[in-house]
Amino acid sequence: MSSNQGSSPIPQSSGGTSDGLFRKPRDPSMAPRHYRTPRSLPDVCPKEPTGEGRGLCDGPSVVADQHRWTVYNSKVNLPAALNDPRLAKRESDFFTKTWGLDFTETDVMPSFYLPNISREHFSSYLQETAQREKIHERCKNICLNKDDLSIFMKPEFVLNDPATFNAVLPWSHFSVAGGMNSRDVASSRLLQEKLSHYLDVVEVSIARQISLRSEAFFHAMSSQHELQDRLRETADAVAKLRASTAAIDRVMCRGPLRALRDTLTRNNCIKLHNKLKLMAAVHQTQPTVQLLLSTSEFVGALELIATTKEVLQQELQGIHSFRHLASQLCEMERLIDKMMVADFSTYTQSDLNRAFEEDRQVLEKDRLQSLVFGLLRQRKLDFLDIYSEEMIRAAKNIVRQCVVKSVLQISEIDADTVKLHEQMRLMTFHQWFDLLLDIFEHFILFLKRIKATLSVIRNVVLEVLDSSQRSRLADVSLATNHSDGRTNEDEEDESGGPALHSGEAELAYLTHEGLFISDALNEAEQRSNAAAHAQLRAQTHMETCGSDSASATTESSSISITDDILYTAFLCRVANNVQELLYTASDVSHDRCVKVLMTRAKDGSLERLSSSEFVCLSQAVESFARDTEELCGRRSMSLRGALQSQANRFVQRFHEERKTKLSLLLDNERWKQAEVPAEFQDLVDSIADGRITLPERKPTGRSEDRKPSEFLCVDGQKYAVVGTVLLLIRMFLEYCQCVNDIPSITTDILTRLADQLKHFNSCSCQLVLGAGALQVVGLKTITTRNLALASRCLQLVLHYIPVIRAHFETRLQPRQYSILRHFDHITKDYNDHIAEISAKLVAIMDSMFEKALSKYEVKAPMPSACLRNVCKQMAKMHEAIYELLPEEQTQMLFLRINASFKLHLKRQLARLGVVNDGGPQYGLVMVDVAFYSENVQALRSLEHLDLNMPETWEQKR
């Protein structure tokens, strides 16, 4: 109060400032000056948290950045180290020993980011605050100093204080050591009188004030009595109310409360009883698991272990007696894993090695399903590897058992002294082929059993996969429904909140009775928060929550989803592996059959098979490969590849045998017309029907009834052939039949057949045209009949080349059509060879004409001996080729021979000087020409041949 005396309030701006100074309002039109904010240099130590926002402080936050460095992680306080009072002076090498000798001596360059501050920068501020500073100085002079105030005006004025009392009443100068003198006594009396006067004045003033307010005092006194009466009445009313309340409590409240207390006690007892029953059930987990394992109920045992673990974590957490049960259950779960793997291995051995006489496709289906369910639950993928290994061993046993069973039926083989692979080589082909068929049959049954077993496994996998997907979709749907009903649940929670709190207040009344009130509250809280928890789980899938609890829920949900996705991927991988295992079974079966095939082929016995035997082998292998492909859905190539390798060797031997045979036949061929047996005519007739196959051999009795013919009839034409050509036709039919029986060797057979046709053409050319038959067979000469017969044989082979080409073309892929060009080359070679034979026949007659007509003279008698000889030779020529060559070819040949005759006659006449002048010599020549024409046209099929004899004479110019 005294401190504010004589001072006037200082005006302040409406905005208020932190320094409490008056600020003159500034003109808003004046834009404030902006200076570039200086950037702070990086500090050596991180900044301490200030409690402000992160935008104001870039230092680490203990809350947000829990794993980053903060000042609380520091070990040395740099200012404290520099200002250590225990050290007389700072060590000179404090910085230099770590940062170098130039650390303390280097001048710090001024920062480019800090402006140079001068007094001019504060001029505007000084101008603004000058007026306020003057007002402040004036106010300081007006206001009294605190030290100048009297003692009565000081705020700490209290007479109880001895110092203050002595200051107010200066008794100290009366109680000096020398005692009081008379003057002091007078002064003391005067002071007492003065104080008495003051007391009287105060009493008079108090009495005066009381007299002025006497009515108010009397009214207060009367009101006090009335208030006391009312308080007394109120106390009586309260006493009656308390009595009534006690009666109500005794009559109406204690019974219901006791009932409520008994209900809570009963509920707690029920909970305790249920908890004890749950503990008893958990206690029986291990014996129950052992009982289930004794009956191979692995899935039930695993379910029981998982349920018990969940109960231990949720319902019985913290119970001391069960502290070791969780680890024991984990150990039992690992033991069950080993038992399931061992049991599955045993089941696989029993299933794959059982006798094939059993009709059951799947052995103990329920046991298999139980094992697969358990292994999938434990995510044990290696059980398929176990099945694969047992499958390979079983395939080996199948081959061994089949060989042993076959050897027991063969008395020539001693099974005790001969090894397994040697036993197969000692068998005849038919015995070995029967063994191979038996192996094929057993492997088909083997694959059928494997397919049935894998189908059961696959169905179990798909069932588990479908169940997992349905469960995940149900969780997502439930979360979505909770998310959609979030608003209603929030309203229900808000309306139910006060009731819950009131219920808690009522139940809290019973806590002094020792009841389990906490259990009731927990149950109520669980019921009220169940929907909120579900809503929170759904919400964490759709949006990110900033609170710690939402983050934990989001993490838990994401982990669950990831686990479901991984489990689904695991099941899909198992399903794919099951299908791949069926493919592996097919490959294993083929590989074991390849072993059997290669064991037999090791000594080259398969290469020495006849065509029919190899065809039977090829058909059996192809049938087995086709059956396995249909059964397993996979085209295994190992057995086909092994057969292809043997087929290539067979084709090589097949071709070499026939080529050698053809060479021997040609070397012994005398090039005379051979009779055609009826079976060869039937063979050709079958080709005419469009079927290039070897017909079945007819019974011997029926073939003897039909006599052989002189010619081979093909499409209405007669072919005079040699025996080699008949066998050649049968050879190329055998080549075509091999293609029908073994389609995989089509290209190889085609090239071999082309080589065989080329070989026949070249050898026949060397033997006939090249006169090689004179030395090889011992012929005296190559006659025109030999030449005509060779030409006709070539024409027969040439006739079948397009048929053979069409047969192979239907069995080739479009990209393989280029190989057919071999037939084009062969056709050209055969046509050239036929043309050369025709030219050879003409050349024979041409040399005869040249020799005979060189002696021709125009003189009587006519016809001349030269022309008679020429006609005789032409008649012999016609007789030799007429029955061999068709009529058209005979006519064309004799036209060429006639042209040669006319040429040589014309030359001789020109040499003799005979011209077409109608003279006697001309007449004699015309008689010879007429004789020649009559003899030539008298030959069969040459009646209408136009000889055009006038060309014999030189045309006049």
Side-chain angles (χ1 to χ4, degrees):
M1 174 170 49
S2 61
S3 62
N4 294 331
Q5 184 177 358
S7 63
S8 60
I10 300 175
Q12 296 181 356
S13 62
S14 60
T17 58
S18 60
D19 54 5
L21 298 178
F22 172 76
R23 297 184 184 274
K24 183 180 179 180
R26 300 179 61 185
D27 188 359
S29 62
M30 296 177 62
R33 297 184 181 180
H34 296 279
Y35 298 96
R36 183 173 60 181
T37 305
R39 296 178 58 182
S40 61
L41 294 175
D43 197 355
V44 177
C45 298
K47 298 179 181 179
E48 296 183 0
T50 59
E52 300 178 357
R54 294 300 300 270
L56 301 177
C57 180
D58 294 332
S61 173
V62 179
V63 176
D65 304 321
Q66 299 181 12
H67 302 290
R68 294 178 56 185
W69 188 91
T70 64
V71 294
Y72 300 106
N73 299 105
S74 63
K75 304 300 182 182
V76 178
N77 191 345
L78 185 58
L82 297 176
N83 301 321
D84 192 351
R86 294 174 295 179
L87 298 178
K89 59 179 180 178
R90 183 171 63 84
E91 297 179 4
S92 60
D93 60 346
F94 183 83
F95 293 104
T96 57
K97 66 181 180 182
T98 303
W99 295 332
L101 297 175
D102 298 334
F103 178 79
T104 56
E105 299 177 0
T106 303
D107 296 334
V108 179
M109 296 296 294
S111 175
F112 297 101
Y113 302 100
L114 297 178
N116 295 325
I117 305 301
S118 62
R119 187 173 180 82
E120 284 74 11
H121 290 85
F122 300 97
S123 60
S124 59
Y125 175 75
L126 293 175
Q127 291 176 3
E128 293 177 0
T129 59
Q131 182 64 25
R132 285 178 286 175
E133 185 179 7
K134 293 179 181 179
I135 296 173
H136 177 65
E137 293 296 335
R138 186 169 60 253
C139 291
K140 286 173 59 178
N141 296 331
I142 294 174
C143 296
L144 297 177
N145 192 3
K146 182 178 180 180
D147 297 334
D148 298 338
L149 296 177
S150 63
I151 192 172
F152 296 102
M153 305 306 295
K154 291 182 177 181
E156 62 272 9
F157 177 77
V158 179
L159 289 177
N160 295 336
D161 186 10
T164 303
F165 184 79
N166 290 330
V168 174
L169 299 176
W171 298 102
S172 59
H173 60 278
F174 296 120
S175 58
V176 296
M180 293 187 298
N181 52 22
S182 58
R183 183 178 179 182
D184 292 334
V185 174
S187 297
S188 176
R189 289 179 180 176
L190 181 59
L191 180 59
Q192 289 181 358
E193 291 178 357
K194 184 176 181 180
L195 291 176
S196 298
H197 175 70
Y198 288 160
L199 180 60
D200 294 339
V201 172
V202 170
E203 290 178 353
V204 170
S205 177
I206 291 173
R208 180 171 168 272
Q209 292 296 329
I210 290 174
S211 63
L212 292 176
R213 294 173 174 79
S214 59
E215 294 182 0
F217 277 106
F218 287 116
H219 180 69
M221 292 298 294
S222 59
S223 299
Q224 181 69 21
H225 292 298
E226 185 178 357
L227 181 60
Q228 290 179 356
D229 294 339
R230 290 186 179 182
L231 287 174
R232 191 178 299 108
E233 293 175 358
T234 302
D236 295 339
V238 168
K240 292 180 180 179
L241 179 61
R242 290 175 65 88
S244 299
T245 303
I248 293 173
D249 176 60
R250 183 177 60 257
V251 176
M252 301 181 64
C253 295
R254 291 185 180 179
L257 288 176
R258 187 181 298 108
L260 179 60
R261 180 185 62 191
D262 294 341
T263 302
L264 291 175
T265 303
R266 181 177 179 275
N267 292 336
N268 290 330
C269 291
I270 291 174
K271 291 180 181 179
L272 179 60
H273 181 255
N274 293 334
K275 192 76 71 175
L276 292 175
K277 289 196 298 183
L278 185 61
M279 293 176 64
V282 169
H283 184 67
Q284 293 296 322
T285 298
Q286 292 178 330
T288 307
V289 168
Q290 294 176 358
L291 180 62
L292 291 173
L293 293 180
S294 64
T295 58
S296 299
E297 290 291 338
F298 299 107
V299 178
L302 292 173
E303 289 286 350
L304 180 58
I305 291 174
T307 304
T308 304
K309 285 183 177 180
E310 184 177 358
V311 169
L312 288 175
Q313 293 177 357
Q314 297 180 0
E315 302 293 336
L316 302 179
Q317 188 176 9
I319 296 180
H320 187 72
S321 58
F322 290 151
R323 64 187 183 277
H324 301 303
L325 183 58
S327 60
Q328 295 173 358
L329 293 176
C330 293
E331 186 65 28
M332 293 182 67
E333 192 172 7
R334 287 191 291 268
L335 177 61
I336 292 174
D337 292 346
K338 296 179 181 179
M339 292 179 63
M340 286 192 300
V341 172
D343 197 9
F344 184 80
S345 178
T346 303
Y347 171 83
T348 304
Q349 293 176 2
S350 302
D351 179 44
L352 296 178
N353 295 314
R354 58 194 169 103
F356 287 96
E357 289 75 13
E358 296 184 12
D359 296 333
R360 291 182 300 172
Q361 291 290 339
V362 181
L363 178 66
E364 299 180 15
K365 183 177 180 180
D366 296 336
R367 178 187 175 190
L368 175 61
Q369 290 176 338
S370 176
L371 285 170
V372 175
F373 270 116
L375 292 169
L376 291 178
R377 179 183 177 85
Q378 298 302 106
R379 304 191 182 187
K380 295 290 183 180
L381 186 58
D382 54 349
F383 75 95
L384 295 180
D385 298 333
I386 297 174
Y387 194 88
S388 177
E389 294 173 359
E390 293 296 336
M391 181 176 63
I392 295 174
R393 283 194 286 268
K396 294 180 180 179
N397 291 332
I398 289 175
V399 175
R400 185 178 295 105
Q401 292 173 4
C402 291
V403 173
V404 171
K405 183 175 68 174
S406 298
V407 170
L408 291 177
Q409 300 174 359
I410 303 174
S411 58
E412 293 83 2
I413 301 176
D414 188 0
D416 297 332
T417 59
V418 182
K419 295 182 180 180
L420 188 66
H421 59 278
E422 294 293 339
Q423 294 173 7
M424 286 189 285
R425 294 192 190 120
L426 292 176
M427 296 179 183
T428 63
F429 172 75
H430 295 288
Q431 292 172 346
W432 177 83
F433 187 68
D434 293 339
L435 169 64
L436 184 64
L437 293 179
D438 188 39
I439 292 174
F440 285 165
E441 182 181 358
H442 280 77
F443 271 122
I444 292 297
L445 296 175
F446 179 68
L447 291 176
K448 287 182 179 180
R449 288 183 177 180
I450 291 177
K451 183 177 181 180
T453 302
L454 294 180
S455 298
V456 174
I457 296 176
R458 182 177 177 84
N459 291 335
V460 172
V461 174
L462 295 179
E463 182 179 353
V464 175
L465 179 61
D466 183 61
S467 176
S468 176
Q469 292 178 348
R470 285 202 307 267
S471 177
R472 188 171 60 182
L473 291 177
D475 292 340
V476 173
S477 176
L478 180 62
T480 304
N481 293 334
H482 281 296
S483 177
D484 294 339
R486 179 177 53 189
T487 305
N488 295 332
E489 292 175 355
D490 291 342
E491 293 177 356
E492 292 177 0
D493 292 340
E494 292 176 358
S495 61
L500 178 62
H501 292 308
S502 62
E504 292 177 0
E506 292 176 359
L507 294 176
Y509 177 78
L510 302 177
T511 55
H512 68 284
E513 298 291 340
L515 301 178
F516 296 93
I517 304 301
S518 59
D519 291 341
L521 294 178
N522 291 334
E523 182 180 0
E525 289 175 355
Q526 291 175 0
R527 288 196 303 266
S528 62
N529 294 333
H533 290 167
Q535 173 188 350
L536 183 59
R537 286 195 300 269
Q539 186 176 2
T540 53
H541 290 287
M542 296 180 292
E543 61 181 10
T544 303
C545 182
S547 63
D548 296 338
S549 60
S551 299
T553 307
T554 303
E555 183 179 359
S556 175
S557 301
S558 61
I559 291 174
S560 178
I561 293 175
T562 304
D563 185 70
D564 291 341
I565 293 175
L566 293 177
Y567 188 59
T568 302
F570 165 76
L571 293 176
C572 294
R573 187 168 67 254
V574 172
N576 294 332
N577 290 347
V578 169
Q579 186 63 34
E580 289 294 332
L581 194 57
L582 182 60
Y583 297 157
T584 304
S586 176
D587 294 340
V588 168
S589 301
H590 280 250
D591 292 342
R592 302 317 304 177
C593 294
V594 168
K595 292 285 186 181
V596 176
L597 189 66
M598 299 309 294
T599 301
R600 178 70 179 182
K602 191 172 183 180
D603 58 352
S605 58
L606 293 183
E607 300 176 14
R608 297 189 294 270
L609 295 179
S610 64
S611 300
S612 58
E613 291 174 344
F614 194 86
V615 167
C616 291
L617 174 62
S618 175
Q619 290 176 348
V621 171
E622 187 64 28
S623 176
F624 174 72
R626 189 167 51 251
D627 293 341
T628 56
E629 181 179 354
E630 180 181 356
L631 187 62
C632 302
R634 181 184 182 90
R635 185 178 177 85
S636 299
M637 299 304 298
S638 59
L639 184 58
R640 283 190 174 98
L643 180 64
Q644 182 65 38
S645 176
Q646 294 301 318
N648 294 334
R649 297 178 182 177
F650 167 76
V651 169
Q652 178 68 24
R653 185 197 56 80
F654 177 86
H655 175 64
E656 292 296 335
E657 287 181 355
R658 279 148 185 79
K659 188 174 181 179
T660 303
K661 182 178 181 180
L662 180 62
S663 298
L664 292 175
L665 290 173
L666 289 173
D667 291 343
N668 293 281
E669 181 60 57
R670 303 189 66 85
W671 297 100
K672 293 183 179 181
Q673 183 178 0
E675 293 182 344
V676 180
E679 60 175 321
F680 282 97
Q681 185 62 53
D682 295 339
L683 194 65
V684 171
D685 293 340
S686 67
I687 300 176
D689 295 337
R691 296 177 291 104
I692 303 183
T693 56
L694 287 173
E696 298 180 359
R697 293 184 179 271
K698 297 181 180 180
T700 307
R702 294 186 59 185
S703 62
E704 291 178 352
D705 296 341
R706 300 172 57 189
K707 295 182 179 180
S709 61
E710 295 181 359
F711 299 95
L712 183 67
C713 296
V714 179
D715 294 339
Q717 293 189 13
K718 293 182 178 180
Y719 287 88
V721 295
V722 295
T724 302
V725 173
L726 294 177
L727 295 177
L728 178 63
I729 293 175
R730 185 173 184 85
M731 284 181 187
F732 73 68
L733 288 180
E734 290 175 350
Y735 279 91
C736 294
Q737 184 66 36
C738 281
V739 173
N740 294 337
D741 297 331
I742 314 174
S744 60
I745 61 174
T746 300
T747 55
D748 199 9
I749 283 288
L750 189 149
T751 55
R752 307 289 182 177
L753 178 57
D755 180 68
Q756 189 80 319
L757 293 175
K758 291 178 181 179
H759 179 66
F760 172 76
N761 185 41
S762 62
C763 288
S764 61
C765 182
Q766 293 173 3
L767 292 172
V768 179
L769 284 178
L774 300 179
Q775 291 80 20
V776 176
V777 184
L779 295 179
K780 296 180 180 180
T781 183
I782 301 299
T783 64
T784 55
R785 188 175 183 85
N786 297 140
L787 292 172
L789 190 59
S791 176
R792 197 56 175 161
C793 291
L794 292 174
Q795 292 175 24
L796 177 62
V797 176
L798 185 63
H799 172 78
Y800 282 111
I801 288 178
V803 180
I804 297 172
R805 177 193 177 107
H807 178 77
F808 277 90
E809 186 174 1
T810 58
R811 285 156 178 80
L812 289 175
Q813 299 295 329
R815 56 185 175 83
Q816 298 175 327
Y817 285 168
S818 60
I819 199 174
L820 296 174
R821 68 181 183 275
H822 292 296
F823 293 111
D824 298 333
H825 299 159
I826 293 172
T827 301
K828 182 178 181 301
D829 294 340
Y830 270 71
N831 285 325
D832 294 342
H833 191 185
I834 294 171
E836 289 177 2
I837 293 177
S838 298
K840 183 64 175 177
L841 292 174
V842 175
I844 291 174
M845 296 303 294
D846 184 77
S847 62
M848 186 271 296
F849 289 148
E850 183 180 6
K851 181 178 180 181
L853 292 177
S854 64
K855 300 177 181 180
Y856 176 68
E857 295 180 356
V858 183
K859 62 180 181 178
M862 292 296 171
S864 63
C866 179
L867 264 296
R868 291 177 183 275
N869 184 32
V870 168
C871 291
K872 182 179 179 180
Q873 294 297 328
M874 291 189 69
K876 290 182 178 180
M877 178 73 173
H878 180 271
E879 183 181 2
I881 67 174
Y882 173 74
E883 294 181 352
L884 301 180
L885 297 179
E887 182 177 344
E888 296 81 5
Q889 294 183 20
T890 304
Q891 293 176 358
M892 292 299 298
L893 181 62
F894 270 87
L895 283 176
R896 295 176 62 185
I897 293 173
N898 179 59
S900 176
F901 169 78
K902 290 188 293 183
L903 178 63
H904 286 285
L905 180 60
K906 184 177 181 180
R907 290 177 181 175
Q908 183 64 22
L909 292 176
R911 189 180 304 112
L912 296 175
V914 179
V915 294
N916 184 11
D917 55 358
Q921 289 185 337
Y922 171 76
L924 293 175
V925 171
M926 291 303 297
V927 173
D928 283 340
V929 170
F931 176 77
Y932 168 79
S933 299
E934 290 177 359
N935 279 273
V936 171
Q937 291 179 346
L939 299 176
R940 285 180 297 180
S941 72
L942 301 181
E943 296 85 357
H944 305 288
L945 189 65
D946 185 10
L947 300 179
N948 196 10
M949 296 307 296
E951 292 181 353
T952 306
W953 303 100
E954 288 286 346
Q955 299 295 330
K956 293 182 179 180
R957 298 180 180 177

